[in-house]
Amino acid sequence: PPLNLRAAKKKLIDGEPWTCNRCTRCRGCKKLDISFGSQVCPAPPTLITDDGDPLVLCSACVPLYKKDRYCPVCGHCWDDVKYQKNTTTHSLENKEKNRGKNK
């Protein structure tokens, strides 16, 4: 959970390493979740992690991890719907380019 101001100040005074959850990169997409902040989640047993390395995910990647849509080696997430949409778009663009060359 996010730290309140007093807890954050105490960590800074004590010299403990700490990064705001909005400044922590998501392991699933490597992006910052500046709206909601990334959260530490339990690592699934199929994910290869270093001991003590927390699994930090943004709000968009949490549901993808729950559906097992991630690489067990690197932890990167994928969304089949978004992937299909992108490949369809690129396929249509390539067909249009090829039609223009044939004329």
Side-chain angles (χ1 to χ4, degrees):
L3 295 176
N4 61 29
L5 185 59
R6 186 177 354 169
K9 283 182 181 178
K10 183 179 182 327
K11 281 194 173 271
L12 291 173
I13 290 170
D14 293 345
E16 293 182 44
W18 173 75
T19 305
C20 168
N21 65 349
R22 293 180 180 180
C23 298
T24 304
R25 293 207 178 270
C26 171
R27 180 160 182 185
C29 63
K30 310 294 188 243
K31 295 181 181 176
L32 298 174
D33 189 351
I34 59 171
S35 299
F36 303 106
S38 297
Q39 54 187 318
V40 177
C41 300
T46 55
L47 181 65
I48 299 170
T49 59
D50 295 331
D51 289 337
D53 188 19
L55 176 62
V56 179
L57 298 172
C58 67
S59 56
C61 289
V62 169
L64 296 174
Y65 260 75
K66 288 181 180 177
K67 294 178 184 177
D68 290 331
R69 295 185 184 206
Y70 60 90
C71 173
V73 176
C74 71
H76 188 75
C77 292
W78 68 85
D79 182 0
D80 287 340
V81 174
K82 190 182 290 185
Y83 175 78
Q84 292 296 331
K85 183 178 178 183
N86 286 339
T87 54
T88 303
T89 302
H90 293 303
S91 176
L92 292 173
E93 288 173 355
N94 288 335
K95 285 181 184 177
E96 288 178 10
K97 284 181 185 178
N98 289 335
R99 282 187 199 156
K101 289 179 182 179
N102 293 334
K103 289 183 180 181

